[in-house]
Amino acid sequence: MKFIVARQNRVTPLPVDLEPTDAELDAIEWELPLILADVDLLDAEITVLDRVPSELDERRIRRARRRMLAIRRELTNQAIAALPGGAA
């Protein structure tokens, strides 16, 4: 009987420390307002999953969606403004 054994090293070895880098933490902190707005929108949508949405529920969902889109637009504009060379 022949045994098949992998004789190669792992292609992508695990890093020694699995903590996020400073750049990753900065990116998360920069996107935190958008993350929180997405959570609010999901919360509003989850609330009406098992029932017919009332007028108040629909307003809450619209308000959360508008807030999320406004924050996304603001972050996109900040990212574009930060690009070198004045990309437009």
Side-chain angles (χ1 to χ4, degrees):
M1 174 183 277
K2 291 185 178 181
F3 293 101
I4 300 173
V5 180
R7 295 182 184 208
Q8 297 175 345
N9 293 333
R10 295 175 117 168
V11 175
T12 53
L14 288 174
V16 175
D17 96 25
L18 296 175
E19 297 295 321
T21 64
D22 289 338
E24 292 170 335
L25 290 174
D26 289 341
I28 292 170
E29 184 178 342
W30 185 72
E31 290 181 354
L32 191 60
L34 179 60
I35 294 167
L36 295 175
D38 281 338
V39 168
D40 288 342
L41 177 59
L42 281 172
D43 185 44
E45 291 173 340
I46 288 170
T47 302
V48 297
L49 280 178
D50 60 345
R51 67 172 194 247
V52 176
S54 67
E55 185 177 332
L56 185 63
D57 293 329
E58 290 173 358
R59 270 192 269 161
R60 182 178 175 212
I61 291 171
R62 278 195 311 266
R63 190 178 320 120
R65 186 174 290 123
R66 281 194 308 258
R67 181 173 169 249
M68 185 263 309
L69 290 172
I71 291 172
R72 183 176 289 170
R73 181 184 63 235
E74 181 181 324
L75 290 177
T76 302
N77 289 338
Q78 287 176 6
I80 290 172
L83 287 175

